[in-house]
Amino acid sequence: MEPLSGNSVDSSAHEPVTEYDRPAVQSEARPVSRSALQSQASSQVDPEPEHKPSSQSHTASYPDPNPGDAAVEHHELPCKMHKFTLYETASRYYLVGADVTDQAFRILKIDRTADSGELSLADDDTIYSKSELHELLNAIDDGNRASGGLKLRMSTWGLLGFIRFTGDYYMLLATKRSPVAVIGGHYIYQIDGTELLSLAPSTHRAKADRHPEEARFVSILNNLDLTRSFYFSRSYNITNTLQQNLRWERQQLRKTAPGDRQSLNEMFVWNRYLLEPTSGVLRNPYDWCIAVIHGFVDQATLSIYGRTVYITLVARRSRFFAGARFLKRGANDLGYVANDVETEQIVSEMLTTSFHAPGPRLFLNTNYTSYVQHRGSIPLYWTQDNAGVTPKPGIELNLVDPFYSAAAQHFDNLFERYGAPIFVLNLVKAREKTPRESKLLLEFTNAIQYLNQFLPKRKKILYKAWDMSRASKSRDQDVIATLEQIAEDVLKVTGIFHNGDEKEAKTSMQNGIARTNCIDCLDRTNAAQLVIGKLALGHQLHALGIVDETSMDYDTDAVNLFTHMFHDHGDTIAIQYGGSHLVNTMETYRKINQWSSHSRDMVESFKRYYNNSFLDGQRQEAYNLFLGNYIFSRGQPMLWDLSTDYYLHHSNPRSWSGKVRKNYINWFTPSNLSKRRSIPADQSSSRSSPEIKQQLEEYWLEYYRPLALSSFLKIFSFRMNSTLRYIPFRTMQEGQLDLSPFRSRTGQEHESPGKSRRRKGVTIIEPTDPDKDQDVVTSKSVRLLTPELKDPRDLAEQGHLLVATPADGSELRLAYGLKTAQELPKTAMTFKDKTAMTFKDKTAMTQWTLNQFVSNSLNPSVAESEMDEYGRYVSHPLNLPLVVSDETSPAQHIEFTNFLESPSRLMKLGENSFEEDIAEFCEFIHVEEDPLTVTGVDLPKKRYKAYGQWLRGKSLFKQSRSET
């Protein structure tokens, strides 16, 4: 093994790792010699970095609107890291990455002594075992004792990237995460904590001649809350749709040799600018860094009589032309629109977790479906000036383009991403006293008509303009019914994606997309997308064989769950763009709970107005800084001194001269109009089975975590929201509830009109002769029947029978003074009237329950029906033997025997690992002759960590400041 010094990007100096079998066999890392460790330690003291890449110049221009040409490439590596630990010395940071089994490690060295404006990284592709890593870190600590040694800084889940303002670079780390969804066994996490660390040495940070604007740039970046609505996944490409991911995976299976990993859609990689400094230094930045999307992710369970269906919503916000509401309107000159959000709903039945069908047939699971929608601002050049106090400022068309070049580039990009046709649903107002939105309606309609005249007949843009705001205020129009009809038209032309194996079920592809917009793409757009998504949900459940019809009624548990998820989705998108929650929700357009929804809408309107007037400028500055739209340059205006950021989001007109202008007639790319077809299933690949398993097993270990101790409360699938929360508890007690999530529920559905509900009651019955038929004696209270009794225990002495009736009509007999149930009178089993229970009655019931519990404990018995049920259980052919011996199992258990005797690759341990564990365990249980004496050899052990600190002068107890 070569020492971890110098530029280790070139792997020619290292022996290639031929196989890394996880988690059973440790990596075949070469042993570290003592001389190599000493040279390694000495190399860490050298303040001069071995590798100093040249400073990269960044431009604030957008890439070409073709996302496929500028995609980010992945490359397969032998060790995939999941968790990281950051160590620091006076001159370097060391980022140690561990795989999911905590058996293989890699190290990234970050130099802190590089010149200002330069980033020096050294990626060592050597795979270390745990013992080799400890030995290497100890050697580094020994080599840096003079400057303070090696210190543990923090644990992290990955790098978000590096950013520079006026001087040295900063490193942004994700320190906390929480799972929010699981797709095919792949976890999607939300970032819950981040930390920004300066790469400058402490001596440099203490200098007084730092640029005075540096702190202000850091403060602006902190205005962007990265702990809200930022998501990542280590094993699933969340920047692409499910249809694109599975289609790509099938293409890879048809290749004879493994290729590069799937490209990320850089339109949705929000930390793309922070990753640019690593692209020329690290072989694969995504080994250490994570790709982050911004938007919304939610998942819930649809429980259908024991069948479990996952509904997942994934919203991806474009990083191009991103910003706040009034500051980003329309489109820029490259065709990117404001508030561009792609919403995907994935419906999957969890008979099997992964994308693979039994067999194994890779990526042929027929239980996965998806549907994608799109929202975005009207692709024209228009703005709104919110400098005044008007809550609805006027709309201005800044540039009238007779060829609609911005709209042409936008729709060509949509054709490339989703195919044809595109269904445009325009919900802006058509009639206004003072024309505002209606101006955009006319111009957008003209743009669609102009673009359509050059498209093929069957590929034309389908356009539907409807004044939804006016319809919602009219008494003779049904907004929801109109949207339902529009949704039917949309689903007929686009279809849904349903993964198939080409045998039992054919793969159906979604061709085209529904593009919905209003003036803000928030309230009306979210309601329309909810109705379209509701109908798509019915088609998806129908494709999975769960329902017979594609239509679903409102007020059902399934639709209520989906509506709740879509409201959260709309609220999140509205906060990101408008600064407040949705103003008009689905209740507003369905005209239910009008008083409460109206007051809520007013409050949200005030919040949105306040945020747009006073806080949007700060958010826009944070967006421009984080996305790299603004890059500091000496001699140029500061970010906070710019009167407008127009030039940060539009290309430089001087660059137009060197480009070939697109044809105004043939404005589209013909290949983008081709129909999306499924990739035929091909399981006859010449690639070896171990090779494929090595690529696919990572996420299984992350999902099942075979070596981790957990509990149900910590498992995301157990804590997931479900339709069971919508079942009325009151009707469950009555036993008249239909548990189907597709049945409409109203407040009075289980109550018969004209009948009052019966109340719970208690009746005291005098002891009678069991051979004679007697009526049940009822009373309004216990004291009327037995006025001479003052203590409830007297009931037991006189042999009374206490009968209580729950609300469902069943009867509970509480006997006192009777030993068995056979002694109870049969006439006491039926009675009609109910009485209120007094405190004394409850005490009597409690006392009887305690007595009965003791009696049942001392005299246990098993009913005949229970014996029969247990007999059927123990004789079931699928039961495994309760006692396992060394003898050969009988023939009926041959599968279980083969399972026990087969080598389990997940739990198998290598020889080196076994010997290390045995040695470590023996060292742990070894007790010296004088166990209370601690020698110098014991100080490095963890159990004596506090004692070692005490020897260095630190207190054994935490100190707190005392107020004086």
mmCIF file of all heavy atoms in Angstrom, residues 410-427:
data_model
loop_
_atom_site.group_PDB
_atom_site.id
_atom_site.type_symbol
_atom_site.label_atom_id
_atom_site.label_comp_id
_atom_site.label_asym_id
_atom_site.label_seq_id
_atom_site.Cartn_x
_atom_site.Cartn_y
_atom_site.Cartn_z
ATOM 1 N N HIS A 410 -38.502 26.410 -24.600
ATOM 2 C CA HIS A 410 -39.108 25.752 -23.441
ATOM 3 C C HIS A 410 -39.851 24.485 -23.847
ATOM 4 O O HIS A 410 -39.672 23.417 -23.229
ATOM 5 C CB HIS A 410 -40.061 26.730 -22.745
ATOM 6 C CG HIS A 410 -40.852 26.110 -21.636
ATOM 7 N ND1 HIS A 410 -40.287 25.689 -20.455
ATOM 8 C CD2 HIS A 410 -42.190 25.825 -21.535
ATOM 9 C CE1 HIS A 410 -41.219 25.180 -19.669
ATOM 10 N NE2 HIS A 410 -42.383 25.253 -20.300
ATOM 11 N N PHE A 411 -40.664 24.563 -24.868
ATOM 12 C CA PHE A 411 -41.436 23.384 -25.274
ATOM 13 C C PHE A 411 -40.542 22.331 -25.926
ATOM 14 O O PHE A 411 -40.820 21.133 -25.810
ATOM 15 C CB PHE A 411 -42.569 23.800 -26.218
ATOM 16 C CG PHE A 411 -43.735 24.422 -25.502
ATOM 17 C CD1 PHE A 411 -43.999 25.776 -25.602
ATOM 18 C CD2 PHE A 411 -44.567 23.650 -24.714
ATOM 19 C CE1 PHE A 411 -45.071 26.354 -24.941
ATOM 20 C CE2 PHE A 411 -45.646 24.210 -24.045
ATOM 21 C CZ PHE A 411 -45.891 25.569 -24.152
ATOM 22 N N ASP A 412 -39.487 22.745 -26.596
ATOM 23 C CA ASP A 412 -38.555 21.765 -27.137
ATOM 24 C C ASP A 412 -37.870 21.001 -26.003
ATOM 25 O O ASP A 412 -37.616 19.790 -26.111
ATOM 26 C CB ASP A 412 -37.520 22.463 -28.020
ATOM 27 C CG ASP A 412 -36.656 21.474 -28.788
ATOM 28 O OD1 ASP A 412 -37.163 20.381 -29.124
ATOM 29 O OD2 ASP A 412 -35.485 21.782 -29.047
ATOM 30 N N ASN A 413 -37.576 21.688 -24.911
ATOM 31 C CA ASN A 413 -37.008 21.021 -23.740
ATOM 32 C C ASN A 413 -38.010 20.053 -23.119
ATOM 33 O O ASN A 413 -37.636 18.956 -22.681
ATOM 34 C CB ASN A 413 -36.560 22.064 -22.721
ATOM 35 C CG ASN A 413 -35.983 21.450 -21.461
ATOM 36 O OD1 ASN A 413 -36.661 21.333 -20.452
ATOM 37 N ND2 ASN A 413 -34.721 21.040 -21.518
ATOM 38 N N LEU A 414 -39.292 20.430 -23.085
ATOM 39 C CA LEU A 414 -40.315 19.520 -22.565
ATOM 40 C C LEU A 414 -40.471 18.297 -23.456
ATOM 41 O O LEU A 414 -40.675 17.174 -22.973
ATOM 42 C CB LEU A 414 -41.655 20.251 -22.428
ATOM 43 C CG LEU A 414 -41.744 21.344 -21.358
ATOM 44 C CD1 LEU A 414 -43.153 21.931 -21.318
ATOM 45 C CD2 LEU A 414 -41.375 20.804 -19.985
ATOM 46 N N PHE A 415 -40.395 18.484 -24.783
ATOM 47 C CA PHE A 415 -40.455 17.348 -25.701
ATOM 48 C C PHE A 415 -39.296 16.386 -25.436
ATOM 49 O O PHE A 415 -39.462 15.161 -25.486
ATOM 50 C CB PHE A 415 -40.407 17.836 -27.148
ATOM 51 C CG PHE A 415 -41.723 18.369 -27.656
ATOM 52 C CD1 PHE A 415 -41.782 19.537 -28.402
ATOM 53 C CD2 PHE A 415 -42.904 17.702 -27.395
ATOM 54 C CE1 PHE A 415 -42.988 20.031 -28.865
ATOM 55 C CE2 PHE A 415 -44.130 18.182 -27.854
ATOM 56 C CZ PHE A 415 -44.170 19.352 -28.593
ATOM 57 N N GLU A 416 -38.130 16.935 -25.172
ATOM 58 C CA GLU A 416 -36.973 16.083 -24.933
ATOM 59 C C GLU A 416 -37.109 15.315 -23.625
ATOM 60 O O GLU A 416 -36.713 14.138 -23.543
ATOM 61 C CB GLU A 416 -35.701 16.925 -24.899
ATOM 62 C CG GLU A 416 -34.448 16.106 -24.676
ATOM 63 C CD GLU A 416 -33.216 16.976 -24.564
ATOM 64 O OE1 GLU A 416 -33.363 18.199 -24.469
ATOM 65 O OE2 GLU A 416 -32.098 16.434 -24.572
ATOM 66 N N ARG A 417 -37.660 15.926 -22.599
ATOM 67 C CA ARG A 417 -37.760 15.279 -21.295
ATOM 68 C C ARG A 417 -38.914 14.291 -21.206
ATOM 69 O O ARG A 417 -38.782 13.237 -20.568
ATOM 70 C CB ARG A 417 -37.908 16.343 -20.203
ATOM 71 C CG ARG A 417 -36.656 17.170 -19.985
ATOM 72 C CD ARG A 417 -36.964 18.521 -19.343
ATOM 73 N NE ARG A 417 -37.637 18.411 -18.061
ATOM 74 C CZ ARG A 417 -38.093 19.458 -17.367
ATOM 75 N NH1 ARG A 417 -37.926 20.690 -17.853
ATOM 76 N NH2 ARG A 417 -38.684 19.284 -16.208
ATOM 77 N N TYR A 418 -40.041 14.607 -21.850
ATOM 78 C CA TYR A 418 -41.241 13.798 -21.646
ATOM 79 C C TYR A 418 -41.847 13.248 -22.931
ATOM 80 O O TYR A 418 -42.734 12.398 -22.845
ATOM 81 C CB TYR A 418 -42.312 14.625 -20.919
ATOM 82 C CG TYR A 418 -41.800 15.304 -19.682
ATOM 83 C CD1 TYR A 418 -41.654 16.686 -19.616
ATOM 84 C CD2 TYR A 418 -41.442 14.569 -18.554
ATOM 85 C CE1 TYR A 418 -41.181 17.317 -18.480
ATOM 86 C CE2 TYR A 418 -40.971 15.180 -17.415
ATOM 87 C CZ TYR A 418 -40.840 16.555 -17.380
ATOM 88 O OH TYR A 418 -40.375 17.165 -16.251
ATOM 89 N N GLY A 419 -41.425 13.707 -24.088
ATOM 90 C CA GLY A 419 -42.026 13.251 -25.324
ATOM 91 C C GLY A 419 -43.265 14.046 -25.685
ATOM 92 O O GLY A 419 -43.596 15.068 -25.080
ATOM 93 N N ALA A 420 -43.970 13.569 -26.697
ATOM 94 C CA ALA A 420 -45.172 14.239 -27.191
ATOM 95 C C ALA A 420 -46.373 13.308 -26.962
ATOM 96 O O ALA A 420 -46.228 12.083 -26.917
ATOM 97 C CB ALA A 420 -45.007 14.582 -28.665
ATOM 98 N N PRO A 421 -47.591 13.902 -26.811
ATOM 99 C CA PRO A 421 -47.928 15.331 -26.893
ATOM 100 C C PRO A 421 -47.822 16.024 -25.537
ATOM 101 O O PRO A 421 -47.726 15.368 -24.505
ATOM 102 C CB PRO A 421 -49.370 15.299 -27.371
ATOM 103 C CG PRO A 421 -49.933 14.052 -26.749
ATOM 104 C CD PRO A 421 -48.809 13.047 -26.724
ATOM 105 N N ILE A 422 -47.886 17.343 -25.587
ATOM 106 C CA ILE A 422 -47.900 18.173 -24.387
ATOM 107 C C ILE A 422 -49.282 18.791 -24.258
ATOM 108 O O ILE A 422 -49.769 19.440 -25.191
ATOM 109 C CB ILE A 422 -46.823 19.268 -24.440
ATOM 110 C CG1 ILE A 422 -45.429 18.644 -24.469
ATOM 111 C CG2 ILE A 422 -46.955 20.199 -23.239
ATOM 112 C CD1 ILE A 422 -44.322 19.649 -24.619
ATOM 113 N N PHE A 423 -49.917 18.573 -23.117
ATOM 114 C CA PHE A 423 -51.245 19.121 -22.847
ATOM 115 C C PHE A 423 -51.064 20.332 -21.946
ATOM 116 O O PHE A 423 -50.671 20.195 -20.787
ATOM 117 C CB PHE A 423 -52.129 18.076 -22.177
ATOM 118 C CG PHE A 423 -53.585 18.431 -22.172
ATOM 119 C CD1 PHE A 423 -54.464 17.811 -23.035
ATOM 120 C CD2 PHE A 423 -54.085 19.390 -21.304
ATOM 121 C CE1 PHE A 423 -55.808 18.130 -23.041
ATOM 122 C CE2 PHE A 423 -55.425 19.732 -21.307
ATOM 123 C CZ PHE A 423 -56.297 19.087 -22.173
ATOM 124 N N VAL A 424 -51.355 21.508 -22.460
ATOM 125 C CA VAL A 424 -51.188 22.751 -21.722
ATOM 126 C C VAL A 424 -52.537 23.165 -21.152
ATOM 127 O O VAL A 424 -53.499 23.372 -21.900
ATOM 128 C CB VAL A 424 -50.624 23.864 -22.623
ATOM 129 C CG1 VAL A 424 -50.530 25.176 -21.852
ATOM 130 C CG2 VAL A 424 -49.253 23.475 -23.165
ATOM 131 N N LEU A 425 -52.620 23.278 -19.836
ATOM 132 C CA LEU A 425 -53.821 23.737 -19.146
ATOM 133 C C LEU A 425 -53.536 25.115 -18.574
ATOM 134 O O LEU A 425 -52.787 25.250 -17.599
ATOM 135 C CB LEU A 425 -54.213 22.752 -18.038
ATOM 136 C CG LEU A 425 -55.445 23.114 -17.201
ATOM 137 C CD1 LEU A 425 -56.668 23.301 -18.081
ATOM 138 C CD2 LEU A 425 -55.702 22.044 -16.140
ATOM 139 N N ASN A 426 -54.130 26.132 -19.185
ATOM 140 C CA ASN A 426 -53.907 27.524 -18.803
ATOM 141 C C ASN A 426 -55.093 28.006 -17.981
ATOM 142 O O ASN A 426 -56.225 28.070 -18.484
ATOM 143 C CB ASN A 426 -53.735 28.387 -20.057
ATOM 144 C CG ASN A 426 -53.285 29.793 -19.739
ATOM 145 O OD1 ASN A 426 -52.963 30.098 -18.587
ATOM 146 N ND2 ASN A 426 -53.259 30.661 -20.733
ATOM 147 N N LEU A 427 -54.867 28.355 -16.713
ATOM 148 C CA LEU A 427 -55.948 28.688 -15.775
ATOM 149 C C LEU A 427 -55.991 30.163 -15.424
ATOM 150 O O LEU A 427 -56.615 30.535 -14.428
ATOM 151 C CB LEU A 427 -55.780 27.867 -14.491
ATOM 152 C CG LEU A 427 -55.765 26.348 -14.657
ATOM 153 C CD1 LEU A 427 -55.490 25.668 -13.314
ATOM 154 C CD2 LEU A 427 -57.072 25.843 -15.243
#
